[in-house]
Amino acid sequence: MNIPSHWQLCMSNIIAEYMVNQFLETIGQPTRPTLALPNTSIPLSAVCEADQIALGLNEIGTNEAREKALKERFPVEKDEELVCEPTLLLDQTGVIIAWHLPGVLSEEFQVDCVRNLEFLFPDISRSITSSRSWRTQEDLFTESQIRGAIELPPAWYQKGQVVRQILVHHVEQILTLIALQAPAQAGALKNAILSATLMVMDPDIYASGRETFLKVAGSTQDEDMQQIIPEWPTVYLVVLVIANWVTPFHGDLSFQVQWLDLLATIGGDPDLHIELENLGVRLAYSPGTVVGLSREVLQHGVLASVLDQAFLAYHMRDNVQEGVGVHRCDWVKQGELPILLQRFALSMTN
């Protein structure tokens, strides 16, 4: 199933192909005799960012992975160290449960992200409530002019049935985002780069997300959906924008255990860390860090930042994929990853 060339998601696919071939070259398993070169349709700024992220991915690919066990499922070696280098976390069977890429997003990337999200800031504080929901609980947000959380889903599904549940508030935000991106498509490009990063981390999740959008586009008659999907630049189904929030330890039992969330930090304290409570591990969470993790397996939390900070959190939705008949992904083991990436690289050249 090919992505239409006018979709923003097509750029994610093109960048992903470049990053995958770079990664395979670095680990000595290339699929082509010549060096990986970026497609000429990729803007130079995006090539630079992709190269920067690839450096972190490649460092993991060429170094011995850091193996950690899961509590209650495997024996755990308690370890309270702060991990500051690119790291891959595995369980004892070799299954990848987290990627850690500290500081891989450039300062320019982060500044552009803030600029592209500025239209949300006047309304983002409205998300804060006095309810007991930990996602919008007022005392979890630090004192700042910009604070709150907004979820941007292109579609919403309930009880496994495809339904028209695009909230008016969300439609306004998404359509406004599209309008603001139109001149330079800068926001879409940033999301496409992060989406392409997932391709290297877990090709199966990337492929299932891509298939989901293609199937939703082919089945919906909703005019809003038909307008939104071509402009949606990531294979993830939900993008959560969070500003100046203390993240309590949490997981998500409604989340497929084998899926990876993607988290990106924009600004904040240079010495901040994300703690994986059930592993006893702290990962550096400095500005520009990207983390991919299974949020059902790994209970994680982040302390308050003194400096203004935003997070971009990318999620999948099981009921969305189930509603359009997309297969569920399986675990990816470290030893299987090169094979999966080679298949993707070859499929892009055929």
Side-chain angles (χ1 to χ4, degrees):
M1 302 176 73
N2 294 324
I3 299 173
S5 60
H6 67 282
W7 282 22
Q8 294 288 356
L9 193 54
C10 185
M11 178 54 67
S12 173
N13 228 35
I14 294 170
I15 297 173
E17 180 186 10
Y18 172 56
M19 293 178 68
V20 164
N21 282 311
Q22 275 195 316
F23 184 83
L24 290 172
E25 283 181 6
T26 301
I27 63 175
Q29 300 187 40
T31 59
R32 56 179 68 180
T34 57
L35 293 177
L37 296 175
N39 188 294
T40 55
S41 65
I42 306 176
L44 181 58
S45 61
V47 172
C48 294
E49 291 296 339
D51 286 344
Q52 183 73 12
I53 296 172
L55 285 174
L57 292 166
N58 293 344
E59 186 171 337
I60 291 175
T62 53
N63 290 327
E64 181 179 354
R66 182 181 298 268
E67 295 187 4
K68 300 294 179 184
L70 301 180
K71 257 184 180 179
E72 299 178 358
R73 293 181 57 188
F74 304 101
V76 173
E77 179 184 349
K78 194 67 174 177
D79 189 352
E80 297 292 347
E81 67 179 312
L82 175 63
V83 180
C84 298
E85 69 274 10
T87 303
L88 191 64
L89 299 185
L90 311 174
D91 73 8
Q92 288 190 335
T93 69
V95 167
I96 298 172
I97 56 175
W99 293 74
H100 174 229
L101 306 173
V104 294
L105 302 179
S106 70
E107 185 175 348
E108 181 183 1
F109 184 103
Q110 297 173 64
V111 170
D112 284 347
C113 281
V114 172
R115 185 181 300 118
N116 295 323
L117 294 171
E118 281 180 343
F119 79 97
L120 290 174
F121 293 157
D123 295 325
I124 198 170
S125 61
R126 297 179 188 176
S127 65
I128 300 175
T129 67
S130 58
S131 70
R132 295 182 179 181
S133 172
W134 59 271
R135 293 186 184 276
T136 56
Q137 191 174 321
E138 185 171 9
D139 60 2
L140 291 178
F141 290 91
T142 59
E143 290 299 326
S144 176
Q145 291 183 332
I146 303 170
R147 61 182 195 146
I150 290 182
E151 192 174 70
L152 300 175
W156 202 271
Y157 295 72
Q158 294 178 342
K159 299 180 181 178
Q161 300 296 318
V162 181
V163 293
R164 187 182 185 280
Q165 285 280 357
I166 309 174
L167 303 180
V168 173
H169 187 51
H170 284 146
V171 170
E172 285 184 359
Q173 292 166 347
I174 296 169
L175 294 182
T176 303
L177 179 61
I178 292 169
L180 289 177
Q181 288 175 345
Q185 300 179 346
L189 194 57
K190 299 295 180 287
N191 281 288
I193 293 168
L194 292 171
S195 179
T197 303
L198 174 67
M199 180 67 227
V200 180
M201 294 179 174
D202 194 319
D204 203 17
I205 297 177
Y206 183 95
S208 66
R210 182 179 56 189
E211 183 183 357
T212 299
F213 278 103
L214 288 166
K215 288 193 171 182
V216 171
S219 62
T220 184
Q221 299 299 317
D222 187 287
E223 292 183 1
D224 286 333
M225 287 293 293
Q226 290 175 349
Q227 183 179 0
I228 291 169
I229 288 177
E231 302 297 335
W232 192 256
T234 173
V235 295
Y236 279 103
L237 300 170
V238 178
V239 180
L240 183 62
V241 182
I242 312 169
N244 293 308
W245 186 49
V246 178
T247 310
F249 286 113
H250 68 285
D252 190 342
L253 296 179
S254 66
F255 185 75
Q256 287 297 312
V257 67
Q258 60 269 44
W259 283 346
L260 295 180
D261 273 8
L262 198 67
L263 311 175
T265 62
I266 309 299
D269 297 344
D271 58 351
L272 206 63
H273 65 268
I274 180 171
E275 184 170 350
L276 309 181
E277 185 181 35
N278 50 338
L279 294 187
V281 173
R282 295 178 300 140
L283 305 176
Y285 213 41
S286 55
T289 293
V290 175
V291 174
L293 57 78
S294 170
R295 61 183 165 121
E296 186 187 359
V297 172
L298 297 176
Q299 294 280 327
H300 56 284
V302 182
L303 297 176
S305 173
V306 176
L307 301 175
D308 280 339
Q309 183 177 51
F311 299 100
L312 298 177
Y314 297 82
H315 307 313
M316 291 296 187
R317 292 288 190 199
D318 187 35
N319 46 3
V320 178
Q321 295 189 334
E322 184 178 350
V324 293
V326 174
H327 75 286
R328 292 183 176 180
C329 304
D330 200 356
W331 293 105
V332 172
K333 293 187 176 182
Q334 184 190 18
E336 299 169 347
L337 185 60
I339 298 172
L340 294 174
L341 293 175
Q342 286 174 336
R343 288 176 184 168
F344 171 81
L346 290 171
S347 71
M348 295 296 289
T349 57
N350 293 335

